[in-house]
Amino acid sequence: MLEAQGIAVDAELLDGADVTDTILAYASEHEVDTIVMGATRQGLLSRALFGDVPETVGERFDGEVLLVRHYQPTRSLVRAWFQRWLGERRVPTVSK
């Protein structure tokens, strides 16, 4: 159990074949009232093929779901559109 700002927070590492079902089963078994999870940064194609875990959890969970993500300023509207629909492409960096 973690304690932050006077609020008790349980963090668990779960193992299961289906991410969404595993999260929802744990929440049901342990009477969880709020799930905090990272918002997806996947592109449209990835979400279509593999599903959107945060969205599915939000639709199927009876309690509150809080999605968090790191603030990242966008350089242009065109780049924002490409990132939203195609996903962010990471370029590996090489240090010397």
Side-chain angles (χ1 to χ4, degrees):
M1 174 161 325
L2 305 171
E3 183 109 11
Q5 304 287 328
I7 300 171
V9 177
D10 290 324
E12 294 285 336
L13 180 61
L14 306 174
D15 184 29
D18 182 273
V19 176
T20 302
D21 289 341
T22 302
I23 292 170
L24 294 171
Y26 177 88
S28 176
E29 291 169 11
H30 293 87
E31 297 181 5
V32 170
D33 59 1
T34 304
I35 296 174
V36 179
M37 59 190 311
T40 185
R41 291 171 61 178
Q42 298 174 334
L44 181 63
L45 181 59
S46 295
R47 288 194 309 262
L49 292 174
F50 304 111
D52 191 347
V53 173
E55 184 176 321
T56 305
V57 169
E59 290 171 351
R60 293 174 45 194
F61 184 60
D62 290 333
E64 300 290 326
V65 177
L66 176 63
L67 299 177
V68 294
R69 73 181 227 190
H70 176 73
Y71 172 73
Q72 182 176 0
T74 305
R75 296 183 187 168
S76 73
L77 291 174
V78 173
R79 181 175 177 158
W81 185 86
F82 276 108
Q83 286 177 344
R84 177 180 172 101
W85 294 106
L86 301 176
E88 186 171 330
R89 304 292 185 247
R90 298 200 182 268
V91 178
T93 57
V94 178
S95 60
K96 294 182 181 184

